[in-house]
Amino acid sequence: MTLTLTLTVSDEVRDLAPGFVHLAVEARGLVNGPSNADSSALLDDAARRLAERLDGRAPHEDPHMAAWRAAYSAFGAKPSRTRNSAEALAKRALADGGLPRINVLVDLYNAISVAHLVPVGGEDTDHIKGGMRLVRATGQEPFVTVAGGEETVEHPDAGEVVWADDEGVTCRRWNWRQGVRTRLTEESVNALFLLEGMAPMTTGELEAAAAELAESLEKLSPGARITVRPPQAGA
């Protein structure tokens, strides 16, 4: 299978967080659809595993989440107000309302994020322009989001860590908020799932989360072609 995307991490980001590592799972020929009993069961199981892991602690007290908070602080974000995606999902998983049901593919990667307490994102590769880069923003890049039910264009703060492609920002504040252009919809068939770790999370722990993600993708999309890339500390 030909890898369709290059992923690079800028020197500025590596200097900011030398303990950062990412791992990509690329999938083609997926079948997505509305949340169902299988994807809902995965989310419920993930919330149970998270509660066991934390054993009464708050998500931000986990060493991996504490490392992410330090990285967010390093580029000027307030981590108690702007939580990384894994911490934000974990808080929802432990709350009375529980985890949201979005669609099968999003439910699946959210379940991996919660069960392993690791940020996981999913991008529709058919809507990504060029390669993806993790950079510190100039503040001029466009970011398409939704406000008040309408699509609108925002811009990141100067110095903010963002994922971007040739058309603009795909995810703000590292993994805080994904843009609407590349998110996974019920029509998505080709995707890249990005797992992001920060020391003290080990590459082995990241690989275990990726292996579980690949296994779930194969079960829910029989016939999909899935490639798990090796962990990358940089470009």
Side-chain angles (χ1 to χ4, degrees), residues 114-172:
V114 168
H116 292 267
L117 208 52
V118 58
V120 183
E123 304 284 352
D124 187 322
T125 51
D126 292 330
H127 293 285
I128 292 172
K129 309 300 181 188
M132 287 178 61
R133 303 174 293 279
L134 188 66
V135 298
R136 299 197 72 175
T138 65
Q140 302 303 307
E141 301 89 343
F143 175 72
V144 181
T145 186
V146 173
E150 299 290 329
E151 278 198 10
T152 183
V153 176
E154 297 177 352
H155 299 278
D157 299 326
E160 182 182 319
V161 175
V162 298
W163 280 101
D165 66 1
D166 291 350
E167 200 165 296
V169 172
T170 57
C171 197
R172 284 197 60 189

Side-chain angles (χ1 to χ4, degrees), residues 73-96:
S73 295
F75 69 80
K78 291 184 169 57
S80 58
R81 195 163 60 196
T82 305
R83 295 179 175 87
N84 75 78
S85 64
E87 185 184 330
L89 273 177
K91 281 182 68 69
R92 294 190 72 169
L94 298 172
D96 289 343

Side-chain angles (χ1 to χ4, degrees), residues 7-181:
L7 298 171
T8 55
V9 178
S10 72
D11 289 341
E12 284 185 316
V13 173
R14 279 200 291 269
D15 291 344
L16 183 78
F20 174 65
V21 62
H22 67 274
L23 190 163
V25 177
E26 194 156 12
R28 300 184 71 79
L30 294 165
V31 178
N32 200 9
S35 299
N36 58 29
D38 289 335
S39 70
S40 191
L42 288 173
L43 290 169
D44 289 340
D45 182 62
R48 179 191 58 76
R49 290 164 65 185
L50 173 70
E52 286 181 4
R53 174 192 180 118
L54 291 174
D55 193 23
R57 292 175 301 159
H60 71 266
E61 295 175 294
D62 180 90
H64 188 216
M65 295 297 93
W68 273 105
R69 283 192 165 214
Y72 269 49
S73 295
F75 69 80
K78 291 184 169 57
S80 58
R81 195 163 60 196
T82 305
R83 295 179 175 87
N84 75 78
S85 64
E87 185 184 330
L89 273 177
K91 281 182 68 69
R92 294 190 72 169
L94 298 172
D96 289 343
L99 288 163
R101 273 59 173 164
I102 309 295
N103 60 54
V104 168
L105 290 178
V106 175
D107 292 353
L108 194 155
Y109 79 72
N110 280 348
I112 296 297
S113 176
V114 168
H116 292 267
L117 208 52
V118 58
V120 183
E123 304 284 352
D124 187 322
T125 51
D126 292 330
H127 293 285
I128 292 172
K129 309 300 181 188
M132 287 178 61
R133 303 174 293 279
L134 188 66
V135 298
R136 299 197 72 175
T138 65
Q140 302 303 307
E141 301 89 343
F143 175 72
V144 181
T145 186
V146 173
E150 299 290 329
E151 278 198 10
T152 183
V153 176
E154 297 177 352
H155 299 278
D157 299 326
E160 182 182 319
V161 175
V162 298
W163 280 101
D165 66 1
D166 291 350
E167 200 165 296
V169 172
T170 57
C171 197
R172 284 197 60 189
R173 294 181 190 156
W174 217 312
N175 48 46
W176 166 70
R177 179 172 292 164
Q178 184 182 30
V180 296
R181 173 169 57 90

